[in-house]
Amino acid sequence: MATRTGGAGAAPEANEALRAQIVRAADALYYSRGITAVGMDEVRSTAGVSLKRLYALFPGKESLILAVLRHRHGIWEQGVEAAVAAAGSPRGRVLAVFDFLAEWFTEESFRGCGFVNAFGEMGPGFPSIAQYVREHKEGFQARMAELVREAGLPEQLAPQLALLAEGAQTTAAILGTAEPAEHARAAAETLLDASDATAGARP
Amino acid sequence: MATRTGGAGAAPEANEALRAQIVRAADALYYSRGITAVGMDEVRSTAGVSLKRLYALFPGKESLILAVLRHRHGIWEQGVEAAVAAAGSPRGRVLAVFDFLAEWFTEESFRGCGFVNAFGEMGPGFPSIAQYVREHKEGFQARMAELVREAGLPEQLAPQLALLAEGAQTTAAILGTAEPAEHARAAAETLLDASDATAGARP
DNA sequence: TTGCGCGGGGAACGATCGTTCTCTATTGTA
DNA sequence: TACAATAGAGAACGATCGTTCCCCGCGCAA
């Protein structure tokens, strides 16, 4: 009676693989077509699992959405960190965020920040989603502050640079062009130069 | 037989008043709770009209959404132009946009840019809505370029300032604070100062 | 071989959506 | 007063959603 061969409680590695498969499928669908427009049945058929398994792994759609956002958060952090790591100077590490954006914007599937989209669509009525999006954005602000501090730049620069990155994502999505990444990078460089000049004026 | 006392084709001024009443109600509902989450029946009861009249004035939900966005576009332009007109110097007229944002962000009902929210929610699947949002943002970019030009500033500043304004709206909405307006204004001032310094270096 | 329990596929359910239709009260007119 | 056309109120309809349930077939233990 103790032999549980399947279900949500056993074979943890297989369940994790299934979870990842479902989350990847749901992420692609949600991001490209919007969350409300994609039903659980389409997630099920795209991921190739049964409805029963789907609901065994995720108690409901809200839980699946949160898993998708966590997945997207990991991808975002990987992309940012890879670009930061590829940069040479501390100043370059700050600007690397905008290189990452420039690359991202040229992807065929780019459709803005998935967190902003989810917030606008599900924010009211789903506080857990709104809160997770807030945490994601706070995390980005914190990382930016870290990079600014490590470059020896004044800390008030961090939220300003984050604003540029945020605006670039939205503008690139709506206007359908990758140019905002370059505009944001140029503005960021100006802000960095100005703070260098200010610091140099009174050492 | 020619006496049409009501319907969509007669009494134009009364129909315009009704249209405005419906659009105002729908705008408040859509903005606060999301477009998909609000049904036509709730718009009908909030606006206090019959379903028949509602569908006589707007052939479908998509048409109502577009009318709401047009209405919101007018409000946005009024707010920006009022702030611009209240500013003294050409430089102040450029920065006035950020004063307007600071005011807006403190409103209780503030929930980000309604156009960005609509784009994220309805962009895929409703090309007419995506296109109108694009036109709205292009209009803002154009107005910003005009203000920059009138202030005698280099034109590449315009998209950078627009990025700051865009990012401030999104960040303020998600983080739930009005601070981004000040950050954006400070960054904008730095960009303006830097371009003045550059221009002054080689007259 | 024979039960038996579990998982997969999909039907089913209740709710809600956008939209249409029906019924009735009313109002203006001859 | 009688008639006709209209507008309001909401029922009704088909579609779709998230979620649950049922039934069948398969694999393992005795």
Side-chain angles (χ1 to χ4, degrees):
Chain A
M1 65 161 75
T3 61
R4 306 250 223 87
T5 59
E13 75 291 346
N15 277 341
E16 278 314 305
L18 259 187
R19 280 183 67 99
Q21 185 175 336
I22 293 168
V23 164
R24 270 196 306 268
D27 179 53
L29 290 170
Y30 289 167
Y31 182 66
S32 64
R33 307 228 317 271
I35 296 176
T36 315
V38 175
M40 295 295 274
D41 215 63
E42 194 169 0
V43 172
R44 175 203 66 86
S45 64
T46 304
V49 300
S50 74
L51 258 188
K52 203 177 218 170
R53 259 213 198 288
L54 178 54
Y55 274 94
L57 294 171
F58 303 95
K61 188 173 184 179
E62 184 174 347
S63 158
L64 176 57
I65 298 171
L66 286 169
V68 164
L69 292 181
R70 279 192 289 267
H71 174 247
R72 208 151 246 278
H73 177 71
I75 292 181
W76 163 267
E77 286 201 328
Q78 275 181 27
V80 169
E81 293 311 319
V84 167
S89 63
R91 177 192 163 102
R93 286 165 61 87
V94 171
L95 292 172
V97 172
F98 300 97
D99 298 334
F100 168 61
L101 292 184
E103 222 178 292
W104 184 28
F105 292 173
T106 64
E107 287 181 18
E108 189 78 29
S109 62
F110 175 72
R111 211 181 70 79
C113 173
F115 298 91
V116 171
N117 293 344
F119 181 86
E121 190 170 356
M122 320 284 293
F126 291 86
S128 64
I129 294 176
Q131 187 195 338
Y132 186 80
V133 172
R134 193 177 320 123
E135 289 172 10
H136 164 77
K137 291 300 183 190
E138 286 170 348
F140 175 60
Q141 297 261 352
R143 185 68 182 108
M144 195 63 106
E146 214 169 26
L147 292 171
V148 163
R149 192 181 332 117
E150 287 168 5
L153 294 161
E155 61 177 22
Q156 73 262 20
L157 224 52
Q160 302 180 6
L161 297 174
L163 251 43
L164 286 170
E166 205 65 55
Q169 292 174 66
T170 301
T171 304
I174 292 179
L175 263 41
T177 155
E179 281 179 11
E182 299 158 25
H183 295 149
R185 195 191 211 276
E189 290 193 82
T190 304
L191 293 178
L192 262 52
D193 291 343
S195 96
D196 281 346
T198 305
R202 34 188 158 110
Chain B
M1 65 160 75
T3 63
R4 306 250 224 87
T5 59
E13 75 291 347
N15 278 339
E16 277 314 305
L18 260 186
R19 279 183 68 99
Q21 184 176 337
I22 293 169
V23 164
R24 269 195 308 267
D27 179 53
L29 290 169
Y30 290 166
Y31 182 67
S32 64
R33 308 229 316 272
I35 296 177
T36 316
V38 175
M40 295 294 273
D41 215 62
E42 195 169 359
V43 172
R44 175 203 65 86
S45 63
T46 303
V49 300
S50 73
L51 259 188
K52 201 177 217 169
R53 260 215 197 286
L54 179 55
Y55 274 95
L57 295 171
F58 303 95
K61 189 174 184 177
E62 185 174 347
S63 157
L64 176 57
I65 297 170
L66 285 170
V68 164
L69 292 181
R70 279 191 290 266
H71 173 245
R72 209 152 244 278
H73 176 71
I75 292 180
W76 164 268
E77 285 201 327
Q78 274 180 28
V80 168
E81 293 311 319
V84 167
S89 63
R91 178 192 163 103
R93 286 164 61 89
V94 171
L95 291 172
V97 171
F98 300 97
D99 298 334
F100 168 61
L101 292 184
E103 221 178 293
W104 183 27
F105 293 173
T106 63
E107 287 182 17
E108 188 79 28
S109 62
F110 175 72
R111 211 181 71 78
C113 173
F115 299 90
V116 171
N117 293 345
F119 182 85
E121 191 171 354
M122 319 285 293
F126 291 87
S128 64
I129 294 175
Q131 187 195 337
Y132 186 81
V133 172
R134 192 177 322 122
E135 289 172 10
H136 165 78
K137 291 301 184 190
E138 286 170 348
F140 175 60
Q141 298 260 352
R143 185 69 181 106
M144 195 63 105
E146 213 168 27
L147 293 171
V148 164
R149 194 182 330 118
E150 287 168 4
L153 294 162
E155 61 177 21
Q156 73 262 22
L157 224 49
Q160 301 180 6
L161 297 173
L163 250 44
L164 286 170
E166 206 64 55
Q169 293 174 65
T170 300
T171 305
I174 292 179
L175 263 40
T177 155
E179 281 179 10
E182 300 158 25
H183 295 149
R185 193 190 213 276
E189 290 193 81
T190 305
L191 293 179
L192 263 52
D193 291 344
S195 98
D196 281 346
T198 305
R202 35 187 157 110

